[in-house]
Amino acid sequence: MTQHEQYQDEVSAGPGGVMTDEVGVVTGDLTLTTTLRGDGRADVCVQYTGAEEWYTLTGSPATVPPTGLGTLHQAVLTAARTGGGAEVPR
């Protein structure tokens, strides 16, 4: 694949935050990463901005769409901004 291997952005979660596998819903100012794996999927992780702990966004790992890792990352950012216990879009 010719895409970047990782995207990272800060995002303010919408009302109801995002859902993680480890701690349930997280809210507020978050840092989100989407990292390409070698199997055509991507790991999506989130942390409170400035914190050390990373959490797996529910639905990760996710299949990378034909349009690439950047498209998946943008979809995850949009979901996080929407909130409502957002998960990785399928």
Side-chain angles (χ1 to χ4, degrees):
M1 293 188 180
T2 58
Q3 299 96 331
H4 295 284
E5 292 195 347
Q6 183 180 73
Y7 288 87
Q8 179 172 311
D9 282 289
E10 293 183 7
V11 62
S12 292
V18 300
M19 182 64 69
T20 69
D21 291 349
E22 296 86 358
V23 296
V25 172
V26 294
T27 61
D29 293 330
L30 307 173
T31 301
L32 193 143
T33 64
T34 306
T35 307
L36 186 64
R37 298 165 41 136
D39 63 359
R41 297 186 298 167
D43 291 316
V44 182
C45 298
V46 64
Q47 72 175 173
Y48 290 106
T49 299
E52 292 184 20
E53 300 83 12
W54 285 93
Y55 307 112
T56 303
L57 193 65
T58 300
S60 175
T63 300
V64 176
T67 50
L69 188 65
T71 300
L72 175 61
H73 183 71
Q74 289 303 315
V76 172
L77 288 173
T78 298
R81 288 183 188 109
T82 301
E87 300 181 1
V88 176
R90 302 192 196 291

